[in-house]
Amino acid sequence: MSGSRRIDGIDFWRGIVLAMIFINHVPGNGFEIMTHRHVGFSDSAEAFVFLAGVSVVLAYGGRCLGGEPWGGFRAIMSRVVTLYGVQIAMSFAAIVIFALGALVFDDNTIMHEHGRDLFLSNPMRAVVAVTGLSHQLGYFNILPIYIVFLLWAPVLLLLARLDSRLMLGLSALIYLLAHEYGWNFPTWPVAGGWFFNPFAWQFLFAAGMFIGISLRAGEGIGFDRRLFAVCVAILIASAFVVTKAFGFLPALPAQLNSVVDMSKTHLAPIRMIHFLALAYVLYHSGLTLMAKRGSLFAPLCVIGRQSLPVFAAGSILSAIGQVVIGMRTTGFVDDLLFIGGGLILLYAIALYLSDRGKVTADRPSTTKMA
């Protein structure tokens, strides 16, 4: 099968993930509790990376796995350039927003958080480092690993042409070696490693590609009653821990963290297992089919189809939210207005871009008119 494919269910869940990312990137708002990170070990970052892997196969797999791999690889490289431009634009726009917030509220605290202080102490190095992706601002650090994964994707797709299990096996080996030897991309000029370790997170991206190959072939994900029961048990146990036994054992998460790796940076196994269990249960639960009957399915699909511009707009809105909500006393009504209004705005942006895309696609070319 050549060409790209769209699956409404994937667009729907991507829309939900983008909405949760926007909500979670405005710390302190009253709607954070509604996102799934408050009932499980994983959060929207795992879903973002996994769905990115699925989408790469659906978008480029027809060419890369078929008869014109170089055309597919060129399309991937074009996407890399776009993502890089968006990442740089978002980062510098965010710095301007936070600097203006510090001036308006006469409080420099916000400029000393999440790596922004480098722009105060050494602005020239900050510009070079952000442009080179070696310094990433907090809440603006997930697109860089997506760029790395797209650069890595042609290798994975070449392996998948031989056997998708070979692709997944190599990715698993890299994941294990990264954990064993502490591999990570270095940061500069502040010494350290990337917040999202590409050597670890690439395994979840490859897992998404593996599932994408299955979906593209029309095979889907097989159902096993015992595996489904195990996945449900994992989700229940995770919710029990994260909610502190529903409030009865306040020290429970800290106690588990002292004996089990919970690292988000290195994608701890417990986080990945939780997410894969969640994905398996959602896939076989029928929730997507039920959601199709609801009024929110179509809007979330529209948001999911315009994932990059929505993500970029949501990131800028979240920076504004961190200033507006984080630097002043707000209540539930303020949170409702900002978060609710922000989600409506993101939908409006996605709807406008979708409608414009349809007009462009329907517009006759000069050749046809001639």
Side-chain angles (χ1 to χ4, degrees):
M1 181 181 297
S2 63
S4 62
R5 289 186 58 189
R6 297 220 70 99
I7 298 177
D8 285 346
I10 292 176
D11 288 332
F12 168 73
W13 289 109
R14 188 190 289 111
I16 289 180
V17 169
L18 289 167
M20 288 195 297
I21 288 174
F22 168 61
I23 293 170
N24 287 331
H25 282 193
V26 186
N29 78 82
F31 293 91
E32 283 185 287
I33 194 68
M34 298 172 62
T35 60
H36 83 277
R37 73 173 183 174
H38 290 277
V39 291
F41 296 133
S42 66
D43 61 25
S44 52
E46 282 84 357
F48 181 93
V49 171
F50 179 81
L51 289 175
V54 175
S55 299
V56 162
V57 173
L58 295 179
Y60 309 109
R63 284 175 285 180
C64 294
L65 299 174
E68 47 175 322
W70 294 114
F73 297 158
R74 284 195 298 271
I76 290 175
M77 292 305 107
S78 175
R79 187 65 169 174
V80 166
V81 173
T82 300
L83 288 172
Y84 175 77
V86 170
Q87 169 65 18
I88 300 307
M90 288 195 313
S91 298
F92 287 116
I95 284 297
V96 171
I97 290 169
F98 292 125
L100 287 174
L103 288 173
V104 169
F105 291 100
D106 194 23
D107 185 352
N108 287 336
T109 303
I110 200 168
M111 286 298 295
H112 291 275
E113 301 171 341
H114 300 291
R116 300 165 202 144
D117 54 332
L118 185 61
F119 280 86
L120 300 178
S121 62
N122 200 325
M124 286 189 293
R125 286 195 174 193
V127 169
V128 173
V130 168
T131 305
L133 304 183
S134 65
H135 184 77
Q136 299 160 16
L137 305 177
Y139 299 108
F140 291 83
N141 45 23
I142 198 167
L143 274 192
I145 62 164
Y146 191 16
I147 292 170
V148 171
F149 295 160
L150 282 182
L151 291 171
W152 176 235
V155 177
L156 296 178
L157 288 167
L158 285 173
L159 289 173
R161 293 186 71 178
L162 300 174
D163 192 321
S164 59
R165 293 169 296 182
L166 179 63
M167 173 198 75
L168 191 61
L170 173 63
S171 182
L173 177 61
I174 294 172
Y175 175 82
L176 293 173
L177 290 174
H179 275 263
E180 178 66 24
Y181 296 106
W183 294 351
N184 194 358
F185 282 23
T187 56
W188 178 88
V190 180
W194 284 25
F195 180 79
F196 290 101
N197 181 350
F199 290 110
W201 282 81
Q202 57 80 33
F203 187 28
L204 192 56
F205 179 79
M209 290 182 64
F210 185 83
I211 297 301
I213 291 170
S214 177
L215 293 175
R216 188 170 191 89
E219 298 173 0
I221 306 170
F223 177 76
D224 183 284
R225 188 183 301 274
R226 288 170 295 183
L227 179 58
F228 188 86
V230 169
C231 289
V232 170
I234 290 171
L235 298 183
I236 292 173
S238 177
F240 183 80
V241 172
V242 173
T243 61
K244 304 174 183 178
F246 307 104
F248 290 103
L249 297 174
L252 184 58
Q255 291 171 345
L256 181 65
N257 194 34
S258 67
V259 295
V260 177
D261 179 18
M262 305 286 287
S263 169
K264 183 172 184 177
T265 290
H266 304 293
L267 186 57
I270 195 170
R271 292 182 65 99
M272 185 162 59
I273 290 170
H274 173 265
F275 171 75
L276 293 175
L278 176 62
Y280 188 81
V281 169
L282 288 176
Y283 182 84
H284 288 293
S285 65
L287 280 176
T288 305
L289 290 176
M290 287 189 285
K292 284 186 177 182
R293 307 187 193 105
S295 58
L296 290 179
F297 185 83
L300 286 167
C301 282
V302 172
I303 290 174
R305 292 188 193 107
Q306 301 294 334
S307 56
L308 182 57
V310 167
F311 176 80
S315 296
I316 297 303
L317 281 175
S318 71
I320 297 171
Q322 288 175 49
V323 172
V324 173
I325 293 178
M327 299 189 70
R328 55 189 287 269
T329 302
T330 59
F332 177 76
V333 173
D334 300 295
D335 294 347
L336 177 62
L337 290 174
F338 187 86
I339 297 299
L343 291 173
I344 292 172
L345 179 58
L346 293 180
Y347 170 61
I349 292 171
L351 189 62
Y352 168 75
L353 293 174
S354 295
D355 289 342
R356 192 178 70 171
K358 291 176 183 177
V359 170
T360 303
D362 293 339
R363 183 180 299 149
S365 67
T366 54
T367 303
K368 290 182 179 178
M369 290 176 68

